Structure formats: C-alpha cells, structure tokens
Amino acid sequence: MQTPQYDVAIVGYGPVGATAANLLGQSGLRVAVVERDPDVYFRARAISTDEETVRIWQQVGLADRLNADMLPGAGANFVDSDGRPFAKLLPVDRGNGHPPQQFIYQPAVDRVLREGVDRFPDVEVLLEHEFLRLNEQPDFVELTLNDLTTGAQKTIRASYVIASDGGSSSIRSQFGIGFSGQTYSERWIVIDTKVLNEWPGHDRLRFHCNPARPTVDCPTPLGHHRWEFPVHDGENEADLLNEEAIWKVLSAQGIDRANVKILGFACYSHHVRFADRWRVGRVFLAGDAAHAMPPWIGQGMCAGVRDVGNLCWKLTAVLNGALPVAVLDSYQSERLPHVKEVTNRAVKVGELIIERTRWKAALRNHFFRIATKVPAFNTWLLNNRWLPDAHYPEGLLARGGSPAVGWLIPQPRVVDENGSEVLLDDVIGGRWTLLHIGSGHWPSWQSTGVPLIRILPAGSEPAPGCIVDRDDVLTRWLAEKKAFAIAVRPDGFVYAANAPGRPLPPPPKGFRT
Ligand SMILES: Cc1cc2nc3c(=O)[nH]c(=O)nc-3n(C[C@H](O)[C@H](O)[C@H](O)COP(=O)(O)OP(=O)(O)OC[C@H]3O[C@@H](n4cnc5c(N)ncnc54)[C@H](O)[C@@H]3O)c2cc1C
C-alpha cells in the first residue's frame, strides 16, 4: 500500500493543534492530525482568553460561535484574607474587535475548534493514533504511528510537521531539544465545578491573596466555576485530592453543596520553560511543546494559538511557492520574545498573589491601597497590563524606518464596498493586503497581484476597492505611525510601511501571490 502523503502533519489535537488544523484546512492544504486520545480532554485547564487569540479564531470563521460560549471578564480583583479588595486589574481593550478578556470552558472551546476542522475535507483526523517516531528525509518527514484501536503500526509522510503534542512533547524529546527553565516545587489543586445556586461575588475573578492559603476563584462560562489553591509544605497532596478535603477548602470560601457540584479536581505544577529550538528542519514545535508558563494571566493556550497563527500562513506560503523556505526561520524569532515577555508578566502577577510571609502580604496590601489612589500609578498599572504589545521587533519585516512595521493592525468596524458593516479582518484577513490612504502607485506590490484597498474617512460613501473607516480608527492609527500606505501580512502584522518622505519598501524576495 502507498504511504499516505500530506502537506502538513499535526501531532496533538489540543487547542493549538486544532487551531492549526483550521488555519491549514482553510488554506486548502492536505493535512493529517494525529491524536492519541479518543475525544477532547475532559479537564477544563484554560479558563481565560484574550482579544488577539479570538481574532485568530475569527480568521477561521469561528469567533462568533466561540464568543457565544464565553463570558466577558470584568477584571481581576486582588483581595486580602478578609476578602477586602486592595487592587484591581482591568482588561484594557486593545482594539482587536473582541472583548479584551473572556472566560472560557476549555472542553467547549476544544469541541468547537474540532467541529470547525470537520468543514475541511482535506484534513484527516486520526484519533486514537499515537505518534511513535519520525524520520526526516530531505523532501519529507515520515511519521510512524500506532493505531491504538488495532495495535497496528502505520506510516504517513508530510512535507512539514507541527508538534503540538503538549508539555511532555515526545517530538521535542526525540530531537533531544532542551526545555530550559524551572518547575516550581509548589503544587496547585485545581477544582472545576458546576454552579447550582449562585452566591454573592460568583461572577467575579478574585485572587484571594491570603498568605495562609492563596486561592484563585474564577467564574467560567456555561454554568461553571473554578478554584485553585496550593498544597502546603507538610501537607500530603493525596490527602487533599478527595471530595471531603476539597469541600473543606471550598467552605473556607463560603461555598457549600447547595452552591456547586464538584466536577473534577487535579494537581498541577507550574513551570517556566522554553524549548531551546522551535524548529528542526521540517518540524516545528508549537504551544505547550514549545513553552510553559504559570497560569496567572491565562496565557498558556493563547500563546500557543498565537504560535500557529504565526506559523500556518508561512507554511502555506512556502508550500504554495509564494515565499521562499527561509521565511520559516522567522517563526521562532518573532514568537519567542513575545512568549518570554508574557511569561515574565505571568510570573510577576503570580508573585503578587502567592506571597506567604504575613508582614510582606500586609505591606503589599497597604502599598496597593495607597498607590491605586494616585492616578499616575493606575496609568502605569494599566500600561503594564496583562499582555505585552502585539509587536515584533524582529522577523519577516521590511525595516524601512517606519514605526508602523511589526505592529498588529487594529481591527475596527469598517464599511465594505457593498455598504455592509464588518470587522476589518473580514475584508483583509488571511491574505496579504496593501492598505492606503489617498491615491498612490506601488508597482512592486501591484505587479504581484496583492489587493490594494483604500481607506476612506468616516462618513464617506462606500466605493469599489475601498473601505470606510467607520470611526476613523485606522486613519488615526496610521497618522500616529506617520504612514499612509502599509503592506499587511495574512496574520494582520504590518510587513512594510512608508516612512515619512520615503517610498513603501517592496515585497519580500521571492514573493508571489
Ligand atoms: C490549571 C491550568 C490553568 C490554565 N489556565 C489557562 C488560561 O486561563 N488561559 C490559557 O490560555 N491557558 C491556560 N492554561 C494552559 C493551557 O491549558 C495549555 O497551554 C493548552 O492546553 C496547551 O495546548 P496545546 O494544544 O499546546 O497542548 P495540549 O492541550 O496539552 O494538547 C496536546 C495534545 O497532544 C496529544 N499527544 C501528546 N503526545 C502524543 C502522541 N505521542 N501521539 C498523539 N497525540 C499526542 C495529547 O493527547 C493532547 O491532546 C492552563 C493550564 C492549566 C494546567
């Protein structure tokens, strides 16, 4: 029998693998997804996501469906051992067209992502197949799988492989790629519940910064609620992993059996780790296989979704001969610094929550109570918000001196040429586009067939080849960046922009549409 051939094999069908399968499936590539388990992982794990992540899911037409099952967040409240707030972090809308922070129930998200993949006939999902090993050849990669339903081994071939096989990635191990960093000794018990009867404050994310037992207390959608608390030194983890012990911790939060039904609990370690290399030849690590961070700012999964949002359009372009293979090197150089910064912020927020020394915790509470009365401090706090800017300083970018280059363009509502009000990416998303204000001539771009779209000011009449900038968001953004023409990559990041008095740099070498 002939070995099945694919453009891309994705190993691991968690949220990262499923997002990649949607992105590649939408591009019309032939894809195999290899997953050991028969169904989505039943434990909830991720409880929060952000606007940039949902924007990536929008690209594959799933944002509305996913948003319907999410709960917009109203900020994180940091409370002392008496439940009195001492600080609040508000999610700041960064203009991506979706709520800045939303709570999720991960199994529901995973399910919708997989339903999305079912739309693509060229994506073959091999559930209950365990990846065993791979063998890289000059033109393809051969993967050996174990069909867990029959015990038979099979091989498939793919031009490229995405290893989204989670934190214990066997592909990472097989290549001997280090996963440098640290694992914290403290273990955390995570409890997922179904809400039976609501209680005051059930709808707020609260970090109970009690030095005796810090606890995360978070509403999750579809009638769920999450608590997380640490196992103390001297406590036996196994003694805490039973309903009676869990009820003791919940009752300390004022929650009883009338409020919730316990759905499950598990113990996790927190890690700060990064794979030493994200690419070996034709194989790319993504998601937890490439990085691990503590969950404090709800970014582990989001970072993985960003990884494949960055990687998949590049793989598609290379496979279609639209860009040279060298562009694939920009995957790690663009993503790693961002992931490192996100992780840094997660660690800092965690330090705030888990302080165990009573006097230091009292000092922290006092400091925040006073400092948050000072407007400048609040501004600083907001500016140092959850997420670093969506900006790549290095990568597949035409550095021409324009401050617009490397930024994710905002996604306002615009009026398309038919007069319909839509989100920007519904017009430009997933493909290269040249956006410009006023008229102009950009032969190096026009000759490649990249669509040119002119931005008209708010209130203009819709016109062919134009979008009306309903609230002048794009016009203001471009003015701030001193650009009037920008070439936007399929992932929404600005590849090139005209610097004042200078022409728009040409497309990347070897580019064609
Ligand atoms: C308590 C907790 C809270 C969290 N909170 C958040 C949050 O609020 N927001 C957020 O963004 N993130 C959060 N995270 C992180 C998030 O859950 C992970 O980052 C995310 O699930 C990783 O997705 P992934 O697809 O990379 O890996 P996974 O979800 O781990 O998927 C990997 C898949 O690969 C499969 N696999 C592995 N090996 C093989 C093999 N050899 N063959 C075939 N298949 C294989 C596995 O079965 C699995 O299905 C949290 C994590 C925890 C533990």
Side-chain angles (χ1 to χ4, degrees):
M1 224 173 66
Q2 239 195 342
T3 308
Q5 316 261 351
Y6 300 91
D7 293 314
V8 182
I10 299 169
V11 180
Y13 205 24
V16 174
T19 302
N22 274 289
L23 288 163
L24 298 171
Q26 178 159 276
S27 302
L29 296 180
R30 201 163 140 58
V31 178
V33 184
V34 181
E35 169 57 50
R36 188 170 51 193
D37 290 344
D39 202 347
V40 296
Y41 188 50
F42 68 99
R43 291 196 196 285
R45 297 186 297 165
I47 51 175
S48 162
T49 187
D50 65 74
E51 60 194 283
E52 289 163 20
T53 302
V54 178
R55 190 170 170 184
I56 293 169
W57 289 329
Q58 179 194 339
Q59 244 186 67
V60 288
L62 295 176
D64 290 346
R65 176 63 193 88
L66 287 164
N67 279 337
D69 284 350
M70 294 185 191
L71 193 64
N77 302 279
F78 296 77
V79 304
D80 64 16
S81 30
D82 298 322
R84 287 180 309 139
F86 64 86
K88 180 165 181 154
L89 270 184
L90 276 174
V92 178
D93 191 332
R94 303 169 72 170
N96 285 284
H98 299 284
Q101 183 209 15
Q102 296 198 84
F103 299 122
I104 62 166
Y105 186 62
Q106 189 178 343
V109 169
D110 287 348
R111 223 167 267 294
V112 173
L113 291 174
R114 289 187 182 192
E115 283 164 16
V117 173
D118 293 343
R119 296 170 297 174
F120 306 114
D122 290 336
V123 179
E124 192 173 345
V125 179
L126 302 168
L127 296 178
E128 296 185 81
H129 279 69
E130 185 178 25
F131 160 83
L132 295 179
R133 60 188 168 274
L134 56 75
N135 174 9
E136 202 182 349
Q137 300 293 327
D139 296 330
F140 61 87
V141 183
E142 192 162 86
L143 297 92
T144 307
L145 315 177
N146 182 15
D147 181 339
L148 297 172
T149 58
T150 62
Q153 287 200 3
K154 57 166 89 158
T155 52
I156 59 170
R157 284 181 184 173
S159 300
Y160 291 98
V161 175
I162 298 179
S164 49
D165 52 344
S168 332
S169 168
S170 47
I171 297 188
R172 195 183 63 226
S173 310
Q174 208 186 106
F175 280 117
I177 300 174
F179 203 34
S180 312
Q182 61 163 319
T183 294
Y184 293 81
S185 56
E186 189 169 75
R187 303 263 290 159
W188 281 71
I189 296 190
V190 172
I191 312 162
D192 282 303
T193 66
K194 188 87 189 160
V195 175
L196 303 175
N197 283 298
E198 293 171 351
W199 58 94
H202 72 94
D203 54 351
R204 273 175 287 152
L205 164 59
R206 277 179 295 183
F207 293 116
H208 299 271
C209 305
N210 177 358
R213 176 87 81 192
T215 307
V216 179
D217 165 1
C218 182
T220 47
L222 306 171
H224 298 97
H225 202 94
R226 155 76 59 86
W227 282 272
E228 298 176 18
F229 67 89
V231 178
H232 285 333
D233 285 349
E235 278 179 338
N236 185 348
E237 181 180 313
D239 294 342
L240 293 173
L241 283 172
N242 63 73
E243 288 226 2
E244 203 185 320
I246 301 276
W247 277 119
K248 247 191 212 161
V249 176
L250 292 185
S251 64
Q253 305 289 334
I255 302 299
D256 63 28
R257 285 177 166 78
N259 296 120
V260 295
K261 176 176 182 267
I262 295 173
L263 294 179
F265 39 83
C267 208
Y268 293 95
S269 301
H270 293 167
H271 318 266
V272 171
R273 291 188 180 274
F274 307 97
D276 296 344
R277 279 189 296 162
W278 290 27
R279 174 185 181 187
V280 179
R282 294 176 170 271
V283 181
F284 297 82
L285 303 184
D288 279 17
H291 43 75
M293 67 182 78
W296 306 115
I297 59 171
Q299 278 294 310
M301 174 198 67
C302 298
V305 171
R306 283 186 177 83
D307 293 345
V308 291
N310 182 291
L311 175 62
C312 287
W313 71 266
K314 292 176 185 169
L315 282 177
T316 304
V318 169
L319 282 159
N320 290 338
L323 278 171
V325 111
V327 302
L328 298 174
D329 286 334
S330 65
Y331 166 56
Q332 176 175 341
S333 61
E334 290 182 354
R335 287 293 307 134
L336 181 59
H338 191 269
V339 173
K340 283 197 164 165
E341 183 52 31
V342 171
T343 306
N344 219 357
R345 292 183 188 204
V347 168
K348 283 198 179 123
V349 171
E351 283 167 357
L352 200 65
I353 298 164
I354 61 175
E355 181 54 63
R356 294 304 175 74
T357 316
R358 283 188 179 279
W359 69 264
K360 284 188 187 165
L363 199 65
R364 168 200 64 199
N365 303 353
H366 190 62
F367 169 79
F368 274 92
R369 283 200 174 102
I370 293 181
T372 49
K373 291 199 170 75
V374 179
F377 180 79
N378 284 328
T379 310
W380 175 84
L381 208 58
L382 283 182
N383 289 338
N384 286 277
R385 51 196 181 237
W386 286 147
L387 292 182
D389 289 328
H391 175 246
Y392 296 137
E394 302 280 338
L396 177 59
L397 307 165
R399 289 262 156 243
S402 167
V405 173
W407 285 91
L408 177 64
I409 188 173
Q411 183 183 217
R413 289 207 157 265
V414 296
V415 180
D416 70 13
E417 58 185 17
N418 304 314
S420 305
E421 204 180 285
V422 293
L423 284 166
L424 177 69
D425 290 359
D426 293 337
V427 183
I428 70 162
R431 59 177 185 167
W432 288 83
T433 312
L434 204 156
L435 284 176
H436 59 100
I437 290 175
S439 53
H441 193 52
W442 300 277
S444 62
W445 286 94
Q446 282 162 289
S447 63
T448 64
V450 164
L452 266 61
I453 297 183
R454 181 173 177 171
I455 302 167
L456 301 175
S460 308
E461 281 302 310
C466 301
I467 49 174
V468 180
D469 190 11
R470 194 193 70 169
D471 303 308
D472 280 337
V473 171
L474 293 173
T475 316
R476 277 199 304 274
W477 192 79
L478 286 169
E480 199 183 288
K481 304 275 188 242
K482 300 183 173 49
F484 59 82
I486 54 174
V488 184
R489 313 190 315 189
D491 58 357
F493 283 81
V494 176
Y495 170 78
N498 76 290
R502 288 168 64 182
L504 181 69
K509 254 206 169 89
F511 175 77
R512 64 181 182 79
T513 49

